[in-house]
Amino acid sequence: MKITKFTLYKVPPRWLFLKIDTDEGISGWGEPVVEGRADAVRTAVHEFEKYLIGKDPLRIEDHWQVMYRAGFYRGGPETMSAIAGIDQALWDIKGRYYNAPVYELLGGACRDKLRVYRWIGGDRPSDIREAALEAYGQGYTAIKMNATEELHYIDNFQKIQAVCDRVAAIRDALGYKLDIAVDFHGRVHKPMAKVLAKELDQFHLMFIEEPVLSQNNEALREIARYTSTPIATGERMFTRWDFKNLLEDGYVDIIQPDLSHAGGISECKKIAAMAEAYDVAVAPHCPLGPVALGACIQLDTCTPNAFIQEQSLGIHYNKGGDLLDYIKDPSIYQYKDGYIDIMRGPGLGVEVNEDALIMASQKAHDWKNPIWRNEDGTVAEW
């Protein structure tokens, strides 16, 4: 079997899909994208395409090693996201070739179902209480919300109190029936992250996410002294070498590699195994589309330290397209009592509606994240 063709579709809301065809009629799908840099990742995919055309798609590990190591300069979000989407598609082909879910090729299932959570709020959270009640009514047992809007290096405590008030509103409405995660989103610099982590500790959260940017992971040592809440990070880390020092430092409780950014299924399986050796949980980052989520679920199914999965149904980023719009069978992503059943179909278990992609690609997006500024005019983290 040989790889014969790459096809890429850039579609709303901010996604890029890759289809890899073979001479035996088996095709695989992946999602190689950096949100806001889809065109750069598409170019990187085409660079790898030149090497992969004519190659055996089943030699996934060898192809991964060549894509990563054959270039003198390595890593970075665009390159690793291109590798990730290609890797997902190759695993999809391999699973279809052997008529088995990918997790069966990675050691088999170690769970019967997988817990998922839903986003509420948005970049500028409002109506948090109502959104939490809605999620609870839909059967979710866990939600995640953004913490703050703009925060300067040192800022007014009023902004900290506003975060606490929003979390308190959920606790007042639902008590501990709903687990809450609060995403700092890298918007909070170390001086205020300590304050916010300490003030949120009273609410006994499921976790706080990315309390500082991953470039500042050394600050987790100090932030951990102010909270007993589990600390999660890793969505902006792209290889096992990025995660190595984080795990060795011992101040993270949950890692969140993104299977469309961190080298795909092949690399994230290795990262998860590293985390298991340090008694650290895994909750893959996935505010993306149905193929990326399918890849995550394949990994989660055979990864004992995976405990919950992010998914993008109804997320605030999804303008002009949503999780179920580009697949033939939306029932694969039905959630019940906060869980999803493991997937039984071959490969990634996702049947992509290519006709829908072709139509949607005619109105290709140019999504960019907003540029935020503090009150004094300085650029703020988004």
Side-chain angles (χ1 to χ4, degrees):
M1 185 163 54
K2 305 296 182 184
I3 296 170
T4 58
K5 185 180 179 181
F6 279 39
T7 308
L8 287 148
Y9 299 100
K10 189 172 76 163
V11 300
R14 53 181 192 163
W15 300 338
L16 184 68
F17 289 78
L18 166 67
K19 181 185 181 185
I20 297 181
D21 292 320
T22 69
D23 60 357
E24 293 192 13
I26 300 174
S27 300
W29 290 89
E31 275 190 57
V33 68
V34 172
E35 303 91 295
R37 296 181 183 173
D39 291 332
V41 177
R42 178 164 57 184
T43 298
V45 170
H46 283 309
E47 289 183 349
F48 291 127
E49 177 186 12
K50 297 170 186 176
Y51 168 77
L52 288 166
I53 292 294
K55 300 293 193 302
D56 179 356
L58 303 183
R59 297 191 61 177
I60 299 173
E61 181 64 26
D62 185 63
H63 297 327
W64 197 99
Q65 294 291 330
V66 170
M67 287 188 289
Y68 182 78
R69 296 172 61 189
F72 185 78
Y73 298 101
R74 303 175 182 180
E78 291 85 2
T79 297
M80 295 309 298
S81 296
I83 292 173
I86 293 168
D87 182 83
Q88 292 170 4
L90 294 180
W91 277 109
D92 197 23
I93 290 169
K94 190 159 193 167
R96 293 174 187 278
Y97 180 81
Y98 288 108
N99 195 32
V102 168
Y103 62 78
E104 292 288 6
L105 307 180
L106 295 173
C110 63
R111 67 181 75 244
D112 300 316
K113 59 183 181 179
L114 174 67
R115 195 180 185 198
V116 296
Y117 66 82
R118 187 196 131 172
W119 267 91
I120 66 169
D123 282 340
R124 300 186 179 280
S126 61
D127 300 325
I128 286 292
R129 180 181 182 277
E130 289 73 17
L133 286 167
E134 180 185 45
Y136 182 71
Q138 292 171 338
Y140 290 94
T141 61
I143 55 94
K144 187 168 79 176
M145 55 181 279
N146 273 327
T148 72
E149 301 174 14
E150 298 90 340
L151 263 188
H152 219 320
Y153 281 83
I154 306 293
D155 216 319
N156 193 302
F157 186 80
Q158 183 177 0
K159 295 183 179 179
I160 302 295
Q161 187 60 52
V163 182
C164 294
D165 290 345
R166 288 193 286 268
V167 177
I170 300 173
R171 284 285 182 245
D172 289 344
L174 291 165
Y176 290 94
K177 297 176 183 177
L178 195 66
D179 284 335
I180 305 169
V182 174
D183 187 359
F184 289 33
H185 212 257
R187 295 172 182 169
V188 188
H189 298 279
K190 182 180 75 169
M192 301 307 294
K194 294 185 295 183
V195 178
L196 184 54
K198 181 179 179 181
E199 295 298 322
L200 286 173
D201 209 37
Q202 63 184 302
F203 298 109
H204 306 293
L205 301 174
M206 181 168 61
F207 58 82
I208 57 173
E209 179 173 331
E210 211 176 29
V212 290
L213 289 167
S214 55
Q215 295 95 319
N216 301 325
N217 276 339
E218 69 282 352
L220 298 180
R221 305 172 192 174
E222 189 170 356
I223 293 167
R225 299 191 188 110
Y226 290 84
T227 181
S228 62
T229 302
I231 294 173
T233 195
E235 69 184 67
R236 286 185 265 196
M237 301 171 67
F238 308 112
T239 70
R240 75 199 85 152
W241 296 278
D242 290 343
F243 281 90
K244 180 171 63 174
N245 289 336
L246 176 70
L247 293 167
E248 287 179 353
D249 283 348
Y251 294 100
V252 68
D253 304 292
I254 303 159
I255 60 164
Q256 300 171 299
D258 188 309
L259 273 74
S260 281
H261 300 333
I265 294 171
S266 297
E267 183 70 349
C268 289
K269 180 64 173 172
K270 295 172 183 177
I271 292 168
M274 289 170 59
E276 185 183 4
Y278 287 92
D279 207 23
V280 169
V282 178
H285 180 254
C286 190
L288 295 170
V291 175
L293 181 57
C296 288
I297 293 171
Q298 296 296 326
L299 177 69
D300 294 330
T301 299
C302 61
T303 301
N305 52 330
F307 83 102
I308 200 166
Q309 179 59 56
E310 180 176 26
Q311 53 83 39
S312 70
L313 191 63
I315 197 171
H316 50 286
Y317 301 121
N318 291 357
K319 307 297 183 184
D322 213 330
L323 181 67
L324 307 180
D325 290 352
Y326 302 118
I327 55 177
K328 294 179 179 179
D329 181 12
S331 69
I332 62 172
Y333 293 135
Q334 286 184 350
Y335 311 125
K336 181 180 179 182
D337 299 327
Y339 286 83
I340 186 171
D341 292 332
I342 63 173
M343 301 169 82
R344 305 292 182 182
L348 298 182
V350 180
E351 294 298 330
V352 173
N353 184 341
E354 191 170 8
D355 290 338
L357 288 179
I358 291 170
M359 290 184 61
S361 66
Q362 303 306 309
K363 49 180 179 180
H365 67 87
D366 189 27
W367 186 90
K368 304 293 182 187
N369 61 254
I371 298 173
W372 284 5
R373 292 186 182 272
N374 296 305
E375 290 184 13
D376 64 1
T378 55
V379 173
E381 299 291 348
W382 174 78

